[in-house]
Each structure stands twice: as C-alpha cells, then as structure tokens.
Amino acid sequence: LDSRRSALVIISHDRRFLSNLSRSTAWLDRGQISQIDRGFSAFEAWRDEVLAEEERDQHKLDRKIVNEEHWLRYGVSGRRKRNVKRLGNLQALRDQRRNYRAAAGNANLAAAEADKSGKLIIEAKNIGRTYGERKIVDGFSIRVQRGDRIGIVGPNGAGKTTLVDMLTGAKPPDTGTIRFGANIEMATLDQHRESLDPKSTLAEALTGGRGDSVMVGGKPKHVVSYMKDFLFAQEQMRTPLEVLSGGERGRLMLARALAKPSNLLVLDEPTNDLDLETLDVLEEMLGDYEGTVILISHDRDFLDRVVTSVIAPEGDGRWIEYAGGYTDMLAQRGADLKREAVKTAAVERDKDATASAPSGTSKRRLNFNEKHALETLPKTIAKLQAEIAKQQRHLDDPNLYRKDRKKFEQASAALSKAQMELEAAEDKWLELEVLREEIEQA
Ligand SMILES: Nc1ncnc2c1ncn2[C@@H]1O[C@H](COP(=O)(O)OP(=O)(O)O)[C@@H](O)[C@H]1O
Ligand SMILES: [Mg+2]
C-alpha cells in the first residue's frame, strides 16, 4: 500500500500498521468525529490529552457524576498509562531471557536441577511434522521456562497452529521428543473459537449458568465486575450471544479463557478481532499474569508490548526463536527480510514507471504546457508549503480543539487539502524534471 500513489482510507485496530501508513487520523468517539492531520503515531498522545481535559472539565462540572461510560473510558485511559510502565518491566524480563539463553550452554546441571521445582514448562527436542511432501516443522528445539512470554509469528498457513499443537501436547510430533514440566494447568483460546449456545446470555456464558459469580483464578468474582473488566456494560448481562458483534465475541472468549485457573496460557490469534481498548485490556491481563504465555499473533505492536521472545518461520520447516519482541526479531534477522520486501516494492514501482512513461521519451521534446509547468511549479510548491506551515501553526495550539472546534476543523481540512496539492505538485514537478533530464541527455 505504501508504494501506491492513490489516496488510502484504512479502518484498523493494528497500531503498527496504522502508524506505518497513515498521515491523518480520524477518531470516531461517542458519535463525533474529530481528525488530526498527523499519522496514528501521534494520535494516542493527542487523544489522551483531549480525554484528560474532558475529564478535568467534567470534574469541575460535577464531581459526583460517575456514569458507566465514563468509567469505561477513563478506566481504559488509566490502563494505557499503566501499560506504558509495564513495558519497562518487560525489558528486564527480556534481558533475563537473553542472558539465560546465552548461559544455557554451560549451565546444564543447574537447569536440570531447577526442572524438578517446576521451572521447566516444555522442552522440545528436534520436533518435526510433515503433511504429505511439505515439511511444516523440521528439527525444532526449545526450552520454555516458567514466566516466558513466547510470541509466534508467520504468514497464514506457515504452521503456527501446528507448532503450538505439538508444544502443548494436543498433537504429537512425527519426529523428536517433547517433555512437559510438572503441574501444568493449561488454558487455551484456540483459533476456531469454541462454540457456545447462541441463545444463552453473556452472564450465563461467563458463570456457566450458576449464580452471579465467575471463578477467576480460583476466586469468585461478581459477574458484573468481571464483565466490566472486559469493557462490557452491566446492561449487556442478558444479551444473547447470537447478537454480539464479532469483536464482543472475541472479548467474551478471552474473558472465559482468562478466568480458568492456569499457569500456561495458549492464545492462538486472539488479537484478530480486538479493538484498541480490548487490546489494552489483554495487554494488562497478560502483564499481571504470573504463568507462562504462548501467543500467536499478527499484531506487531502488541507482540512488542507483551512477549519476551519471538519464534519465526525461516522456510522449509525451519523455525528460529529470537530473544526480545517483534522489533528485536526484525533487527536480528530482518535485514534480509526487509531488503527483500523493499526490492519487490521497487520493482513494482519500476514496472509502473515503465508502463506509464510514454514510449520513445528520448526523441521527444517538452511541449509548451510541460515547459510552462516546469517553470511555475516551484512557485506553486513554495506557496503550498507556506500554507501548510500556517495551518500547522493553528493546529499546534493544543487548546484549539476545545476552544474553537469549527476553526480546528477548518484548519485540519485546509491542511490536508494543501498537503494533497503539494504532493501532487511535487510529483508532477519531479516527473517533468526527470523527463527534461532524459531529453537533454539523449
Ligand atoms: N491435518 C492436516 N493435513 C494436511 N495438511 C494440514 C493439516 N493440518 C494443517 N495442514 C496444513 O499445514 C499448514 C499449516 O497449518 P497451520 O499450522 O494451521 O498454519 P497457521 O496456523 O500458521 O496459519 C497449512 O498449509 C495447512 O493447510
Ligand atoms: Mg493458525
């Protein structure tokens, strides 16, 4: 998408994807749309500022007003702040894991002793599985220790689910051995979500139809309060499952999986349907979780926030574990992967260029319109740049949105219009410059 010239409108919950591609962000919140002319990477800080200000206003208005929606909203925004803190701790965990892996070679005895106390969760040696001619997993070894948070990435059909099924004992490997630690209690959220009676209610699905409480990690908790943890409103208690939205269903499945007492949590693509708020809840839950986590996900940002190591497919059934998050994995192996991707994108662009360039450019001359455009475009570009700077100055006032929403929206619209025109003008100028050079060299 990045190499396309056309305008893009993207609806997504994937933070990294949005940050990489967006230049302007629209936020639909309680029926109102507001927009900033900056990409998603600037969005969350801005939104938090808007919400914080709203909260201050609200407190001024009436300190006693505490409604459900308010709770949901600020509960979530507080959560995000805590999650940022938790990222620091994750760093320490990753270092531990890196050090352990570095030291593992000469610390076999100590490790073997530690096994008995339940530090070892899973040990796989040279496991493999083949479907027909295709090697899905070939000679993979890993030691999963208590407290590890292991992410598994890879394209659809790469074999992530197959690998996890072997690691959790759901399906035995064709070759190799697997050993499990003592007292493992596993909770799973599988990719093909379990089926529940569509006529039963949200509360019933959580309590199992028994009373008003959910057993969360072995302790009873009132179903309404557990529902709130997962951003459901009290009024949704009696909502039949068949009318839940896809995202709400995903949230419910997560709530069920996380309530089970467990010390090993296996989540197969749990992030697929989740919105940003629910992702934050999940991140928080996993941060508090004491046990071991194996997580398959396509959400790069989420992996960066949660996991201590990443397993990635290298082709031909080879899988390698990298210490750290998704970004660390890319840094360790990604150079190749990235260059490959850039190369294909460049080739695509070249193809476009050859396809759209008029044939025999070297023989032709610039026509009058082209010459005129080449001369006047720099002035147009300078004008547009000045306009952008002007609108940007208006928008840099963080209070503008509150003070004068109309002006804010006008400035936003003017800014994006100027940006679009600037881009078009620059493209046109560049195209003509290239053409001129080609003609002069011919
Ligand atoms: N029982 C099976 N028989 C044959 N092929 C299978 C079987 N199970 C999975 N596969 C194939 O193995 C590949 C990996 O599947 P899977 O582990 O589910 O991928 P992922 O979870 O990474 O998307 C896919 O191409 C799938 O079609
Ligand atoms: Mg899968």
Side-chain angles (χ1 to χ4, degrees), residues 131 134 136 155-162 191:
Y131 288 129
R134 241 183 100 206
I136 304 291
N156 295 331
K160 302 178 295 297
T161 301
T162 306
Q191 194 170 11

Side-chain angles (χ1 to χ4, degrees), residues 129-132 134 136 153-165 171 191-192 268-269 296 298 319:
R129 172 169 285 269
T130 311
Y131 288 129
R134 241 183 100 206
I136 304 291
V153 300
N156 295 331
K160 302 178 295 297
T161 301
T162 306
L163 181 60
V164 164
D165 281 350
K171 284 182 192 149
Q191 194 170 11
H192 312 286
D268 194 345
E269 305 202 16
I296 299 179
H298 297 297
W319 295 76

